[in-house]
Amino acid sequence: MRIERAYCIELKKVVDIIQAQEAFFTQMPPRSRLNFLCSDPDCWQVKVKVTGVAYDRLVEDTEKYVAPHFRENPRTPHLPNCEWVELEEAIQALQKEIDAEPESEESIRIRNLKATDWVDVFDPKFDADEDVNTVRDSIAVTNVRVKTASKGERIRMIKQALRKSLTKSSFLQKVVSAYEQMDVVMRKTSVLEIVGVGKLRFSQAFKRVSWAAPQIMPRIFFGNATVRKYGNNFAITFFDKATWDGHEKRVSIYLTGERLSTYRHRVHLIELLESAEEKAHYAACYFFGNLIRAEKPGWLNAQIDHLDSLVVIVRSKQRK
């Protein structure tokens, strides 16, 4: 069952997993894991617990990427009228309905709601402390979650909203999470709209840095890289090279301490970069943007407008 938000006992408010991650890393070491309850008012009243997963770790030590997320705590089951239970039931009912429909962009999207932390629209220009729009937001909770309505009517309204509404995010981390959970077929058939670029299959939107070429539209580029720290600055250098004008060129991201100091999630990002610099680690990096010629001959620099459009996943060289 997908749970997109939870009530954090320590923060005394409802948060998404990115906000929980930021709250964890802004603690002074030694840090303590946070405690969560279901965000549904009825579940919250009876102290239904929710577990936060992978929000508190810096290094991926397994082959498969595990994105930060919330999950059910089996010791405290959710109430039948919990918003997340009803969302799950609505998604399951929708999936049965679309099995009888012709294959379409909508039917693929609905299937993916169950399989991944789905994102329909990535808006890299949006600058906000919270995400733009999640599945929970898209079902218009204030209108749908009417306790006086019958459960069947609420499920019907949620299904209708899910068909019509798109989930939108300004955090590349959420788009990467969806991509990492997809298989090859899903990446080739599922559509992502990038504001300012247009609609692309996920396999078209995500490209290795070696694919980059002059005068192309921005993409979500990715690749493995080394990280080096110079004072308060960091240099990320990709293993792959890009071919420009018939010549191979090195690709890097240079982050100044000044730029990092103004980023709201700087504590977590800086710790990720410092961890990636350790000998036993390397970084898998994703960024939305483009490449430009660097002043240094033979090099290209990544052009990233906002640090929400950069994802650093630290991996162990001795993964399980």
Side-chain angles (χ1 to χ4, degrees):
M1 181 173 74
R2 64 184 303 154
I3 299 174
E4 295 181 356
R5 298 188 182 183
Y7 179 85
C8 178
I9 294 174
E10 289 80 5
L11 299 176
K12 299 181 179 179
K13 65 177 183 179
V14 174
V15 297
D16 64 23
I17 197 65
I18 290 179
Q19 292 168 322
Q21 188 177 60
E22 182 66 12
F24 175 81
F25 281 101
T26 53
Q27 297 179 80
M28 293 294 293
R31 297 176 173 121
S32 300
R33 283 179 57 85
L34 303 174
N35 296 284
F36 303 99
L37 299 175
C38 181
S39 60
D40 181 85
D42 290 347
C43 282
W44 181 83
Q45 288 291 336
V46 295
K47 305 295 191 243
V48 173
K49 294 181 179 180
V50 169
T51 302
V53 179
Y55 70 93
D56 59 336
R57 71 183 184 195
L58 291 170
V59 181
E60 290 290 324
D61 57 4
T62 58
E63 198 67 32
K64 186 174 177 60
Y65 172 64
V66 179
H69 63 281
F70 294 116
R71 72 179 179 201
E72 299 172 81
N73 185 319
R75 296 181 180 179
T76 54
H78 294 252
L79 298 177
N81 65 339
C82 167
E83 61 183 310
W84 304 116
V85 171
E86 293 190 351
L87 175 59
E88 183 77 3
E89 291 175 359
I91 291 173
Q92 290 176 351
L94 260 183
Q95 289 179 326
K96 290 180 181 178
E97 292 175 12
I98 63 172
D99 284 342
E101 299 176 4
E103 189 82 343
S104 66
E105 186 176 314
E106 181 188 61
S107 65
I108 293 171
R109 173 181 166 271
I110 291 169
R111 289 191 184 97
N112 288 337
L113 287 175
K114 177 76 173 177
T116 69
D117 296 325
W118 187 247
V119 178
D120 294 295
V121 182
F122 172 52
D123 187 354
K125 301 294 185 183
F126 191 88
D127 186 9
D129 288 337
E130 296 188 22
D131 209 0
V132 184
N133 190 20
T134 65
V135 168
R136 176 182 179 273
D137 299 324
S138 72
I139 64 175
V141 172
T142 53
N143 295 323
V144 174
R145 297 286 304 158
V146 180
K147 296 294 185 179
T148 54
S150 68
K151 184 181 180 74
E153 179 65 10
R154 290 198 302 272
I155 297 294
R156 186 192 68 79
M157 294 171 69
I158 295 171
K159 288 196 301 180
Q160 186 178 48
L162 285 171
R163 280 188 178 272
K164 293 180 178 180
S165 302
L166 299 178
T167 60
K168 189 175 180 180
S169 179
S170 61
F171 291 100
L172 183 59
Q173 180 177 335
K174 291 199 172 182
V175 186
V176 169
S177 174
Y179 177 80
E180 286 276 1
Q181 293 175 69
M182 293 179 180
D183 59 26
V184 173
V185 174
M186 290 175 68
R187 291 173 181 177
K188 289 181 178 179
T189 57
S190 305
V191 174
L192 174 69
E193 180 180 350
I194 302 176
V195 175
V197 175
K199 288 186 176 182
L200 299 168
R201 303 294 180 187
F202 271 78
S203 59
Q204 298 170 322
F206 282 76
K207 293 293 183 181
R208 299 195 70 88
V209 293
S210 57
W211 183 86
Q215 300 176 337
I216 64 168
M217 292 292 285
R219 290 290 190 274
I220 300 168
F221 291 106
F222 66 93
N224 296 331
T226 60
V227 177
R228 294 291 180 266
K229 187 176 184 181
Y230 301 96
N232 293 325
N233 310 319
F234 291 89
I236 302 170
T237 304
F238 288 90
F239 299 155
D240 292 342
K241 297 178 181 179
T243 302
W244 282 40
D245 303 329
H247 299 284
E248 286 191 336
K249 297 183 183 293
R250 302 298 303 271
V251 179
S252 69
I253 303 171
Y254 194 74
L255 301 173
T256 65
E258 181 180 6
R259 186 178 190 187
L260 288 167
S261 69
T262 62
Y263 182 46
R264 62 183 175 275
H265 303 305
R266 59 188 173 275
V267 175
H268 183 221
L269 178 56
I270 289 171
E271 290 202 23
L272 283 170
L273 294 168
E274 289 177 339
S275 180
E277 190 187 23
E278 296 177 12
K279 287 185 178 180
H281 302 155
Y282 67 95
C285 291
Y286 293 79
F287 69 90
F288 172 76
N290 223 325
L291 298 180
I292 58 174
R293 296 180 190 277
E295 293 182 7
K296 185 178 179 180
W299 286 77
L300 302 170
N301 288 338
Q303 190 173 37
I304 306 172
D305 291 338
H306 198 290
L307 290 181
D308 281 345
S309 294
L310 171 66
V311 175
V312 177
I313 301 172
V314 183
R315 296 195 186 278
S316 170
K317 293 178 180 178
Q318 305 295 327
R319 283 184 288 168
K320 299 173 184 177

